[in-house]
Amino acid sequence: LNNLRRRFPALQRLTNLRFYTAWHDQVLYYGKLSPAGADGRVREMILVAVNLDPDTPVHQVSIEIPLWEFGIADDGAVQVEDLFTGGRWFWYGKWQQVSLDPAVNPAALWRIAAP
């Protein structure tokens, strides 16, 4: 986590924390926006989802991807990088399904960026 904090400016600030919707009582879900560019637009953000129950896997939880932070419509797409595994893909639409298992991945950190 310390390496990620040094690598991403969004993780170095305290005033950029925003909580978002996760449809599960045991999941804490928030984002940290990168500083806006010269044009005032956000280029990337870090999303974090944490399973708060150390004994029970959350097999599926719907999370709301804050596409509006990038000025993207609800059916738009963002590039995703899993900061723990290095995996990369696209998320299409503002609702995504994720799993959080305390034995495997009790938390997830993603970097998302407008394509």
Side-chain angles (χ1 to χ4, degrees), residues 6-40:
R6 283 189 287 275
R7 186 172 154 206
F8 294 102
L11 296 175
Q12 299 167 9
R13 300 173 58 213
L14 300 174
T15 59
N16 60 342
L17 178 67
R18 298 190 181 173
F19 291 92
Y20 299 112
T21 302
W23 292 103
H24 196 288
D25 290 342
Q26 292 299 316
V27 174
L28 178 64
Y29 177 54
Y30 61 92
K32 297 197 76 175
L33 293 120
S34 67
D39 60 1

Side-chain angles (χ1 to χ4, degrees), residues 25-110:
D25 290 342
Q26 292 299 316
V27 174
L28 178 64
Y29 177 54
Y30 61 92
K32 297 197 76 175
L33 293 120
S34 67
D39 60 1
R41 295 187 60 187
V42 172
R43 299 285 184 231
E44 71 178 15
M45 72 183 313
I46 307 298
L47 292 176
V48 179
V50 179
N51 181 347
L52 299 175
D53 184 341
D55 301 316
T56 307
V58 175
H59 294 292
Q60 291 292 316
V61 59
S62 293
I63 59 171
E64 186 176 24
I65 309 306
L67 299 176
W68 63 89
E69 302 283 13
F70 296 94
I72 298 174
D74 287 351
D75 61 349
V78 287
Q79 297 174 8
V80 182
E81 177 185 5
D82 184 317
L83 296 179
F84 286 143
T85 68
R88 294 172 187 249
W89 61 88
F90 283 88
W91 273 336
Y92 297 93
K94 74 174 190 172
W95 292 104
Q96 299 297 319
Q97 297 288 315
V98 298
S99 298
L100 298 169
D101 184 340
V104 180
N105 64 329
L109 270 82
W110 305 283

